[in-house]
Amino acid sequence: MEEEQNGEQRTEYGKAILKELSRRLTERLGKGFSVENLKLMRRFYVVYSQDQIGQKKRNTGKTIPSVI
């Protein structure tokens, strides 16, 4: 029972964090930072931050600008 409640609390906490992050980014940078878009951005990063065999890609010396 405790595991189920802990998992539910963590889920609600994660949702609250995404909602707040969405609000702050939208306020600071404008449209395009809905909760759904943030989830898609994270999924994109997770999938494309590694190559086909699961190894980290080489650093090309180019940096990606920080969102926050």
Side-chain angles (χ1 to χ4, degrees):
M1 183 72 169
E2 288 178 10
E3 289 179 14
E4 289 179 19
Q5 289 176 344
N6 189 23
E8 186 175 317
Q9 288 174 347
R10 289 183 65 170
T11 298
E12 292 305 315
Y13 175 75
K15 287 179 181 178
I17 292 292
L18 275 177
K19 188 174 180 180
E20 178 64 14
L21 179 61
S22 172
R23 184 191 67 76
R24 288 182 183 191
L25 288 171
T26 300
E27 183 179 282
R28 184 173 177 185
L29 302 171
K31 292 182 180 180
F33 295 98
S34 67
V35 170
E36 187 61 31
N37 274 353
L38 292 175
K39 289 178 185 179
L40 291 172
M41 290 175 202
R42 182 181 185 280
R43 186 180 305 161
F44 180 87
Y45 170 78
V46 168
V47 170
Y48 291 104
S49 67
Q50 297 185 353
D51 66 11
Q52 295 296 324
I53 59 173
Q55 296 176 347
K56 295 278 184 191
K57 290 188 174 188
R58 289 182 292 143
N59 185 352
T60 60
K62 296 179 182 177
T63 59
I64 298 173
S66 175
V67 174
I68 298 175

